[in-house]
């Protein structure tokens, strides 16, 4: 079942991390070189301290990720 895009999703609030479900950025040269790609961004829905809540605009998967250094979680570290 595909979730709808969260009503709080705003394209102006983005994050550049791998989606743990569709992994659509795996063959992108810009993403592989840790640059902010115009296609493979995620909605940054909200955050609770170091925990960010994200949603992929491509597959609509929603997940939370702890950005604290050393914390385990899905995806890759944010691209700079």
């Amino acid at each position: 079942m595909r979730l709808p895009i969260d009503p709080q999703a705003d394209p102006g609030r983005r994050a550049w991390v791998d989606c743990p479900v569709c992994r659509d950025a795996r063959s992108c040269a810009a993403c592989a070189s840790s640059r902010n790609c115009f296609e493979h961004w995620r909605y940054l829905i909200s955050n609770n301290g170091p925990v960010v809540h994200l949603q992929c605009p491509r597959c609509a998967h929603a997940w939370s990720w702890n950005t604290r250094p050393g914390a385990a979680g899905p995806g890759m570290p944010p691209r700079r």
Side-chain angles (χ1 to χ4, degrees), residues 24 30 34 52 54-57 72-73:
D24 61 340
S34 298
V52 294
L54 306 160
Q55 188 170 28
C56 177

Side-chain angles (χ1 to χ4, degrees), residues 22-60:
C22 72
R23 306 204 37 99
D24 61 340
R26 69 178 165 251
S27 61
C28 175
C31 293
S33 64
S34 298
R35 291 180 291 167
N36 291 350
C37 173
F38 292 110
E39 289 184 54
H40 304 115
W41 52 271
R42 314 302 168 209
Y43 288 112
L44 175 58
I45 304 298
S46 65
N47 72 294
N48 295 357
V51 178
V52 294
H53 307 286
L54 306 160
Q55 188 170 28
C56 177
R58 181 177 186 140
C59 72

Side-chain angles (χ1 to χ4, degrees), residues 2-3 5 19-22 54-64:
R2 183 180 162 136
L3 296 171
I5 297 297
C19 174
V21 173
C22 72
L54 306 160
Q55 188 170 28
C56 177
R58 181 177 186 140
C59 72
H61 175 68
W63 75 101
S64 297

